[in-house]
Amino acid sequence: MVSGLLLHYVGLSDMLFVCCNKMMFVPRKSNCMKLFRSSSPAWPPTWTFDAGVYIWRVLFSNAGEILGEARDPEKKETWFFCLEEATGTLLWRDLRHPEAWWTGIEAIEGGRFFLHGFRKPDMPQHLGIRAHDLHSGTLLWSSEEYTFLLAQGDDVYASREKFSGLEFYRLSAVDGGVTEELGQDTSRINDLRQQQNEEDFFRGYRYPDPLSDAHPHADAARSALDGIVDPAQVAGNLDVLVEAPLLFAAWHIAEERPENGRPSLKQEFLALNTDSGKTLFRGPILTGADAPGMDSFFIKDHQLIYIHERCAIHAHDLNGAAS
């Protein structure tokens, strides 16, 4: 069961609060600026998808699909979309919950995905389950009685509040019918959750770490970035991921002329081939941020993925980038 991969940055770093710690290293003077050749992007995205509104969350099915949640804060509207992971081909978009704003994704499992509503708009408790076919977006069944807990194979485990307390149920993922009443015993639910936590859902994912003495490639990264990144101008962390011979880095700096007249940040992204000395990509991926974000990019299998300007997914193919 894929319970979800939340991009902590999700293109909305101005909505996140992160303490602005300085980087934990002192750069050495060197001629690295001469070693890395600056150029226009030599490594364009393999595919992109522009939602036109904020991409709030993306989940990977681990079977070749990306499920996304898009939100328009001004109109208070939410809609969902699905892409082919390898090519970015749009399978469907503009799927909407009956509740325009107060909804979200629960999980992907067995070629289906599950949406939830909320008990009340001002309360965090989820309520209601809507099951959809992942490949087409077609609604399979819905229930307003139950709260989703987890899915496993063709089973959905859910709860319902009664006067006597919280009752648990096993539902059919095919049609939503009750297949077993579990009473108030939480042990089975806890065992299933523990089993899912022990499974390796995130095999193939690699994430950046803040550049510090604890970074596994601290010395090599500092040497490569010396003369390229000025630590005195960095707000928050300098996030680095090394996939030798490739090095990826992202950091925030103050914008010179913010459009709204208020102090704001932009996030720079850099991709280097440390063997050839070639700059594969360098440029801003976010402007107008109120605070530094985190985990703004990651690698899954052979693709580097990030959110560009809050609204677009960009994917770069690692194959060939190291040559």
Side-chain angles (χ1 to χ4, degrees):
M1 189 275 291
V2 180
S3 59
L5 173 65
L6 173 64
L7 293 181
H8 299 289
Y9 163 73
V10 292
L12 294 172
S13 64
D14 50 347
M15 294 186 178
L16 300 173
F17 177 77
V18 180
C19 294
C20 298
N21 299 318
K22 295 295 183 182
M23 290 187 298
M24 298 175 63
F25 71 93
V26 178
R28 300 186 300 272
K29 291 187 178 295
S30 73
N31 60 352
C32 283
M33 283 287 285
K34 299 178 181 178
L35 293 177
F36 291 100
R37 302 189 299 275
S38 179
S39 64
S40 59
W43 190 41
T46 306
W47 61 263
T48 65
F49 171 75
D50 191 340
V53 295
Y54 289 168
I55 294 176
W56 192 266
R57 191 181 184 195
V58 293
L59 295 84
F60 291 76
S61 69
N62 289 339
E65 299 90 8
I66 299 175
L67 177 65
E69 180 179 324
R71 290 181 176 266
D72 186 334
E74 293 185 1
K75 295 182 179 180
K76 291 291 188 289
E77 292 180 350
T78 303
W79 52 271
F80 305 92
F81 62 88
C82 189
L83 311 172
E84 287 186 356
E85 180 182 333
T87 64
T89 300
L90 181 66
L91 298 177
W92 49 263
R93 62 175 292 162
D94 291 324
L95 185 148
R96 298 175 187 258
H97 191 281
E99 164 54 52
W101 181 250
W102 296 101
T103 180
I105 303 169
E106 291 281 14
I108 300 173
E109 172 66 5
R112 309 175 188 93
F113 68 95
F114 304 90
L115 304 180
H116 67 82
F118 286 88
R119 192 170 299 278
K120 291 183 180 180
D122 58 346
M123 297 180 67
Q125 291 91 346
H126 294 183
L127 180 64
I129 304 172
R130 293 177 69 85
H132 293 259
D133 177 77
L134 180 60
H135 199 264
S136 67
T138 302
L139 177 66
L140 302 175
W141 56 269
S142 66
S143 171
E144 299 303 319
E145 298 180 66
Y146 301 100
T147 296
F148 181 96
L149 298 176
L150 59 93
Q152 185 178 65
D154 286 335
D155 295 324
V156 172
Y157 292 85
S159 64
R160 184 170 64 175
E161 284 192 4
K162 291 187 173 182
F163 288 112
S164 58
L166 203 61
E167 300 277 348
F168 301 102
Y169 301 85
R170 180 163 62 95
L171 310 179
S172 166
V174 177
D175 59 17
V178 176
T179 56
E180 186 178 3
E181 296 184 5
L182 304 176
Q184 296 184 332
D185 184 6
T186 61
S187 59
R188 184 166 171 184
I189 302 297
N190 292 336
D191 288 345
L192 288 169
R193 281 179 168 162
Q194 180 63 31
Q195 178 183 333
Q196 289 189 343
N197 290 338
E198 291 174 355
E199 294 179 11
D200 189 6
F201 292 120
F202 297 105
R203 180 181 302 168
Y205 294 87
R206 282 90 79 200
Y207 302 94
D209 293 308
L211 185 55
S212 69
D213 289 339
H215 195 285
H217 302 281
D219 290 341
R222 289 168 179 168
S223 177
L225 296 173
D226 186 16
I228 298 176
V229 181
D230 181 357
Q233 295 184 1
V234 174
N237 293 320
L238 170 58
D239 292 328
V240 173
L241 174 60
V242 175
E243 189 90 350
L246 305 178
L247 180 147
F248 308 101
W251 66 98
H252 292 76
I253 59 175
E255 291 187 292
E256 294 181 3
R257 288 190 293 271
E259 293 182 1
N260 57 15
R262 299 180 304 168
S264 61
L265 302 173
K266 69 175 178 178
Q267 186 175 38
E268 292 282 338
F269 180 73
L270 175 71
L272 298 175
N273 185 318
T274 57
D275 279 353
S276 67
K278 186 175 184 180
T279 299
L280 300 175
F281 182 93
R282 180 172 182 176
I285 59 174
L286 175 67
T287 57
D290 291 334
M294 55 185 178
D295 292 348
S296 56
F297 68 94
F298 63 95
I299 291 173
K300 183 179 185 298
D301 300 325
H302 64 87
Q303 291 192 118
L304 171 83
I305 298 173
Y306 57 87
I307 304 294
H308 184 265
E309 290 292 5
R310 304 174 176 87
C311 300
I313 304 174
H314 285 206
H316 296 254
D317 191 348
L318 296 182
N319 294 329
S323 59

